[in-house]
Each structure stands twice: as structure tokens, then as C-alpha cells.
């Protein structure tokens, strides 16, 4: 069945460091791919999305490119801030409209 | 995006009791989804609730433990029955986005069972 595998956390970075959180997927068909973020004590928010191969989603300085050849959707940010500390979830949306989530990666950014 | 209100936002319950979580959406939607997020874990889909029909449960989840109601196109409830400490989780409802937009989530219900 469809699945998502994320880089394990927690990830601890200093402010202004470069961030990469790896995400790979297994799916039949052509899923949409998403990154969701969960800030401490808050609900789940969509960060960015890509709906077809080679699409790049971007938001708040974060980017991810839908790579069909490597079945990946890695999240990147050039310079992280303390306010980016959160748990990040990679997810795929399959044909039935369901979301399948990765295990989540906790990011902690230190000043 | 749809505005989703979940109640209660959090609760602490005794084992063996049941709790009903409400999810209200500000627009009519055909499907509503219920997820569970166990501590430190990812989100797992419990069931899909369609108005006018029985909910469709995912593998590992059963109606007796997680009965769902969907009385109209803007409202759904999830009951966590005969709770045990293993049911301590965040429970979230979500609705599909419109115009190809992705699912939108409520803030969740943080449930602790003593």
C-alpha cells in the first residue's frame, strides 16, 4: 500500500543554518504531496504542496520539489529561525482523497 | 479554507468511560475524516464519515470502539468508547479542500486517560 517515510528526528540546528528533512514515498498512481507543520500546542497546518512531478511547492522560505524519479519530496529552508521549531509531517494524498502521513520530524532551532 | 471547530479542545477522563468529540464545519462537505495522533507519533486515519451512510473504518479501527455519527453535511462526532490509557492521543477531524486544495484540519482534541 501507499506509504511515506521521513527522516527521523529530532533535528537540532542553530539559527540561520540550512535545513533539509528527507521524505520518500511509495504510491500507486500519481499522488499529491504535502508538508504539514505542527507548532507546539497547535493544530496541523498545511505548509506547502505539489500536485505533479517536478512541481515545486514553497511557503515561508520552505521549498520542496516533487521528484518522481527518486519518489522524494524533501523539505528545505536556507536559513531557519527559532520560530520554525515545530514538528514537520510529509504526507501523500491518494486517489481516494485520503492522506497518508510520515512519522513526523521534530525540528528544534537554537538561538 | 473551511473553518473547523472541534470540541472539547482537551479533556482528562477516567478509564472505562466514553467521550464524544464534536466537529463542526462552516460549510457543507460530503466527506469528513477522523485521525488519531498518539504521543510522539504520526497521524493515522481512523475513518471516513460520509453523510447518509455508515462510516468507513481503516484497518485496526472498529465501530464498537470508535462510533461515528454524521447527521448532516456540516457536523460529525467521534466517540472514544471504554477508554484505556492507550487511547490517550490527539484526535483530529479534517475536511477535503475545495478546488483541489488539500485537507484542512481542526485544532484537535487532546485526550488523556488516567
Amino acid at each position: 500500500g501507499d506509504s511515506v517515510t521521513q527522516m527521523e528526528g529530532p533535528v537540532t540546528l542553530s539559527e540561520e543554518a540550512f535545513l533539509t528533512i528527507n521524505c520518500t514515498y511509495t504510491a500507486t498512481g500519481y499522488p499529491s504531496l504535502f508538508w504539514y507543520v505542527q507548532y507546539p500546542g497547535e493544530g496541523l497546518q498545511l505548509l506547502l504542496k505539489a500536485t505533479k512531478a517536478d512541481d515545486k511547492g514553497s511557503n515561508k522560505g520552505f521549498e520542496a520539489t516533487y521528484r518522481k524519479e527518486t519518489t522524494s519530496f524533501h523539505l528545505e529552508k536556507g536559513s531557519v529561525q527559532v520560530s520554525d521549531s515545530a514538528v514537520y509531517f510529509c504526507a501523500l494524498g491518494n486517489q481516494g482523497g485520503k492522506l497518508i502521513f510520515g512519522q513526523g520530524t521534530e525540528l528544534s532551532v537554537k538561538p | 479554507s473551511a473553518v473547523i471547530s472541534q470540541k472539547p479542545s482537551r479533556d482528562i477522563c477516567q478509564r472505562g468511560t466514553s467521550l464524544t468529540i464534536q466537529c463542526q464545519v462552516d460549510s457543507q462537505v460530503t466527506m469528513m475524516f477522523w485521525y488519531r495522533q498518539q504521543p510522539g507519533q504520526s497521524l493515522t486515519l481512523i475513518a471516513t464519515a460520509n453523510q447518509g451512510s455508515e462510516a468507513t473504518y481503516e484497518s485496526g479501527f472498529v465501530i464498537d470502539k470508535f462510533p461515528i455519527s454524521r447527521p448532516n453535511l456540516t457536523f460529525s462526532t467521534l466517540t472514544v468508547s471504554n477508554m484505556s490509557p492507550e487511547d490517550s492521543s490527539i484526535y483530529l477531524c479534517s475536511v477535503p479542500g475545495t478546488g483541489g486544495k488539500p485537507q484542512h484540519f481542526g485544532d484537535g482534541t487532546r485526550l488523556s486517560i488516567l
Side-chain angles (χ1 to χ4, degrees):
Chain A
D2 298 347
S3 66
V4 176
T5 302
Q6 266 182 253
M7 162 181 176
E8 286 196 19
V11 173
T12 302
L13 296 173
S14 297
E15 208 164 23
E16 299 184 3
F18 185 86
L19 168 72
T20 300
I21 300 177
N22 290 338
C23 172
T24 57
Y25 67 92
T26 302
T28 54
Y30 303 97
S32 295
L33 299 173
F34 308 94
W35 278 99
Y36 282 85
V37 59
Q38 189 174 39
Y39 297 102
E42 297 186 15
L44 207 63
Q45 302 174 26
L46 178 68
L47 181 61
L48 53 84
K49 69 180 175 91
T51 57
K52 61 183 187 297
D54 300 325
D55 265 4
K56 177 186 283 189
S58 62
N59 186 25
K60 298 181 181 179
F62 291 89
E63 292 183 341
T65 301
Y66 190 144
R67 300 283 187 202
K68 190 168 183 291
E69 64 276 14
T70 55
T71 61
S72 65
F73 193 55
H74 304 321
L75 182 69
E76 296 182 336
K77 186 173 185 180
S79 175
V80 293
Q81 306 299 312
V82 172
S83 57
D84 294 326
S85 298
V87 181
Y88 292 82
F89 293 95
C90 184
L92 71 83
N94 64 17
Q95 305 292 338
K98 297 178 183 177
L99 281 177
I100 296 165
F101 286 86
Q103 64 266 45
T105 302
E106 182 180 0
L107 171 65
S108 178
V109 181
K110 306 297 185 187
Chain B
S1 298
V3 176
I4 302 173
S5 300
Q6 261 187 257
K7 292 180 181 180
S9 59
R10 60 178 68 238
D11 208 339
I12 300 172
C13 301
Q14 298 294 322
R15 69 175 68 203
T17 62
S18 298
L19 179 75
T20 296
I21 302 167
Q22 300 179 1
C23 182
Q24 178 77 52
V25 188
D26 68 345
S27 58
Q28 293 184 339
V29 292
T30 305
M31 290 192 295
M32 295 177 76
F33 302 99
W34 286 98
Y35 289 84
R36 180 176 72 181
Q37 185 181 16
Q38 294 177 299
Q41 303 294 315
S42 186
L43 283 80
T44 303
L45 181 64
I46 297 171
T48 303
N50 296 308
Q51 197 273 332
S53 64
E54 293 267 333
T56 304
Y57 289 83
E58 299 298 307
S59 176
F61 297 96
V62 295
I63 188 170
D64 288 348
K65 177 66 175 177
F66 297 101
I68 288 171
S69 77
R70 186 78 206 275
N72 57 54
L73 290 172
T74 64
F75 187 78
S76 178
T77 67
L78 170 76
T79 298
V80 186
S81 303
N82 188 24
M83 290 184 284
S84 65
E86 293 71 33
D87 295 319
S88 297
S89 296
I90 301 173
Y91 293 86
L92 301 101
C93 69
S94 76
V95 300
T98 56
K101 293 182 180 178
Q103 286 184 28
H104 185 65
F105 287 81
D107 285 342
T109 296
R110 287 162 174 74
L111 184 57
S112 298
I113 292 89
L114 303 179

